[in-house]
Amino acid sequence: MVEDTTIKSPTVTSSSSSSSSIAAKLKSSYQSLVHEAATLFPKMDQKLLLNVLQFETTYDDWEGSVMLKVVYPANKVDLESKKDWIYKRYERVPSVEEGRTLRFKAIRMYIEELEKLLSEDQEIEYVTGSATLTPSDAYSA
Amino acid sequence: MEGNSKGITDWQVLINKPVYSSDGKEVGIVSSIQPEKLVVSYGPITPDKYLIPKSSIINFENGIIHLNDSSEFVEGNYQFE
């Protein structure tokens, strides 16, 4: 009689099962989001995309500070004209890396702007970089 | 999951796996998977980064990814950072 107490209580089992199903549901939702992000923005670094999405939806006053790297196909694009295009659009002079990547810091780089950037320049092969919460970073070196 | 690139169903298993060119040189380690490409990084502090089409993979065996392209081609065409 004494040995027969505690441990396998139905309450614990039920709670465990319920929490497991909640976790599975959350994981499934996240995987759907990641899959949709990759489908809608196939040329974007998915980590950067999700960071921008998170900052933009979490902080109303986020200024869209992003250090952006726009990658073009190697040896197939006139990078000088692309630099001019970036300057006219964002008032930033990009630096060139590896002869195919334009790197610059921008503000107001929200999801909609990334969408416009990719749709207006079909030659872009890949967009990567990092989003930051600190507005002053947008103006530093 | 292993074998020809067309046979890879779960691309996430390639994360952190080494990539070798057709002439046997190490290109780097897979750091992320894009819909059509792999991002491969080489070096610890300011790594060189390569954008490698999934179609360039000819083989994935014993945890190693082999490319159809030479190291020279990889350097000249896939490095972006």
Side-chain angles (χ1 to χ4, degrees), chain A residues 38 42-46 69 71 74-75 97-98 100-101 125-126 128, chain B residues 32-37 39 48-49 51 75-81:
Chain A
K43 293 180 177 178
M44 279 284 305
D45 175 346
Q46 296 300 302
K69 293 179 183 179
V71 183
N75 312 316
E97 292 182 352
E98 302 305 329
R100 63 184 296 209
T101 302
E125 186 173 335
Y126 181 59
T128 184
Chain B
S32 74
I33 309 289
Q34 293 298 124
E36 293 172 4
K37 291 174 175 136
V39 178
D48 294 336
K49 291 188 179 176
L51 201 54
E75 290 289 332
N77 292 276
Y78 298 153
Q79 187 172 358
F80 70 94
E81 200 177 312

Side-chain angles (χ1 to χ4, degrees), chain A residues 111-138:
Chain A
I111 293 285
E112 289 81 4
E113 185 56 37
L114 289 167
E115 181 186 352
K116 280 184 201 166
L117 176 72
L118 287 162
S119 67
E120 288 178 23
D121 188 351
Q122 298 287 323
E123 288 185 300
I124 292 173
E125 186 173 335
Y126 181 59
V127 173
T128 184
S130 55
T132 173
L133 282 175
T134 315
S136 58
D137 272 2

Side-chain angles (χ1 to χ4, degrees), chain A residues 40-59:
Chain A
L40 295 173
F41 289 85
K43 293 180 177 178
M44 279 284 305
D45 175 346
Q46 296 300 302
K47 188 177 172 187
L48 172 63
L49 181 66
L50 293 178
N51 278 343
V52 169
L53 187 62
Q54 182 202 359
F55 291 169
E56 191 178 333
T57 53
T58 307
Y59 308 103

Side-chain angles (χ1 to χ4, degrees), chain A residues 18 24 27 34 62 80 83-84 86 90 109-110 118 121:
Chain A
S18 167
K27 279 184 197 173
V34 168
W62 184 56
E80 287 305 313
K83 281 174 74 174
D84 289 345
I86 294 284
Y90 300 110
M109 191 55 73
Y110 304 116
L118 287 162
D121 188 351

Side-chain angles (χ1 to χ4, degrees), chain B residues 18-78:
Chain B
V19 179
Y20 283 81
S21 61
S22 59
D23 49 344
K25 295 191 176 161
E26 185 178 2
V27 178
I29 302 289
V30 177
S31 55
S32 74
I33 309 289
Q34 293 298 124
E36 293 172 4
K37 291 174 175 136
L38 311 178
V39 178
V40 174
S41 304
Y42 183 83
I45 298 171
T46 51
D48 294 336
K49 291 188 179 176
Y50 303 86
L51 201 54
I52 297 180
K54 288 177 177 175
S55 58
S56 293
I57 299 173
I58 51 165
N59 188 278
F60 175 48
E61 275 184 348
N62 302 320
I64 297 174
I65 299 154
H66 296 278
L67 302 180
N68 198 22
D69 302 307
S70 67
S71 55
E72 189 181 353
F73 187 88
V74 169
E75 290 289 332
N77 292 276
Y78 298 153

